[in-house]
Amino acid sequence: MVSKYAKAKLDYLDSLFHDFENHDFDDYTKSHVAKYLTVLCSGIFEDIIRNFVIELTQKENISREIKDFIFKQIQWSLKNPKYKNLKSFLEKFNKDWAKRLNERIEEKNRDALTSIVNNKNLIAHGESSTITFSIIRQHYEDSKIIIEQLDSIILEEKDK
């Protein structure tokens, strides 16, 4: 990965999943751990995606005014990084980014990301979520590829 920020955030999530996996929690606690990890994954993915654009602006010779405008626009434009929202977000910057991501990502990966965000919204609004530790673990693994591909599309390929 080009982005050290993204790598550190994914390493943190990997570590949390590993740590929680090795605890013998009762079912009630496991349910809450799964909900916590769901909200955390969604938030961290959102943060990483925004940071890719910030890192890109640091590589480019862009005026301070344009950078400020970009930062203000991305601050609220990706609150729920479901796959379709992510694709729309990318198209605002570069339609080819969205096209390349779409070509590289399978349906199960798209669905995993969308499920994380949908469950996060249920949890955040006090509604019932049936997410379990094993499901969020699988969704995380399946959706992490999206972050890895975005790193490649936005940051690595820019250098070529």
Side-chain angles (χ1 to χ4, degrees):
M1 279 192 113
V2 173
S3 173
K4 290 182 172 104
Y5 183 83
K7 175 145 180 33
K9 292 286 189 172
L10 292 178
D11 286 349
Y12 172 67
L13 284 173
D14 288 340
S15 175
L16 280 177
F17 275 104
H18 178 75
D19 290 347
F20 283 129
E21 207 166 43
N22 291 322
H23 279 79
D24 188 26
F25 294 125
D26 60 79
D27 289 342
Y28 179 78
T29 304
K30 284 180 189 174
S31 170
H32 285 286
V33 167
K35 289 174 183 170
Y36 165 73
L37 289 169
T38 300
V39 173
L40 193 61
C41 283
S42 182
I44 286 177
F45 284 173
E46 181 182 317
D47 185 50
I48 289 171
I49 294 163
R50 276 199 200 102
N51 199 71
F52 285 148
V53 176
I54 291 169
E55 287 184 48
L56 180 64
T57 65
Q58 291 170 347
K59 291 172 126 182
E60 299 291 325
N61 187 14
I62 299 174
S63 73
R64 181 81 240 146
E65 295 82 11
I66 299 297
K67 284 183 184 182
D68 287 345
F69 175 78
I70 291 169
F71 296 153
K72 287 175 187 169
Q73 291 300 307
I74 65 172
Q75 184 171 0
W76 298 107
S77 65
L78 195 60
K79 275 295 183 199
N80 287 302
K82 296 177 186 179
Y83 189 80
K84 71 176 186 142
N85 296 353
L86 173 58
K87 193 172 160 218
S88 295
F89 175 78
L90 290 175
E91 286 173 344
K92 290 176 184 175
F93 287 95
N94 183 326
K95 289 191 186 303
D96 191 49
W97 290 353
K99 180 181 176 234
R100 284 186 278 164
L101 184 66
N102 225 31
E103 291 168 350
R104 296 178 187 185
I105 301 300
E106 295 178 23
E107 195 67 34
K108 75 173 186 172
N109 307 106
R110 297 173 194 167
D111 291 346
L113 178 61
T114 298
S115 182
I116 289 172
V117 175
N118 287 341
N119 277 284
K120 182 266 305 185
N121 288 335
L122 289 172
I123 294 162
H125 295 285
E127 297 190 28
S128 180
S129 168
T130 58
I131 197 84
T132 64
F133 182 84
S134 61
I135 291 172
I136 186 57
R137 173 75 180 197
Q138 189 61 55
H139 285 343
Y140 168 67
E141 292 299 329
D142 288 344
S143 58
K144 185 166 66 167
I145 184 90
I146 295 170
I147 299 298
E148 293 164 346
Q149 289 301 315
L150 283 173
D151 180 86
S152 172
I153 291 166
I154 296 172
L155 299 176
E156 282 180 13
E157 293 178 9
K158 183 68 182 164
D159 293 335
K160 292 180 181 173

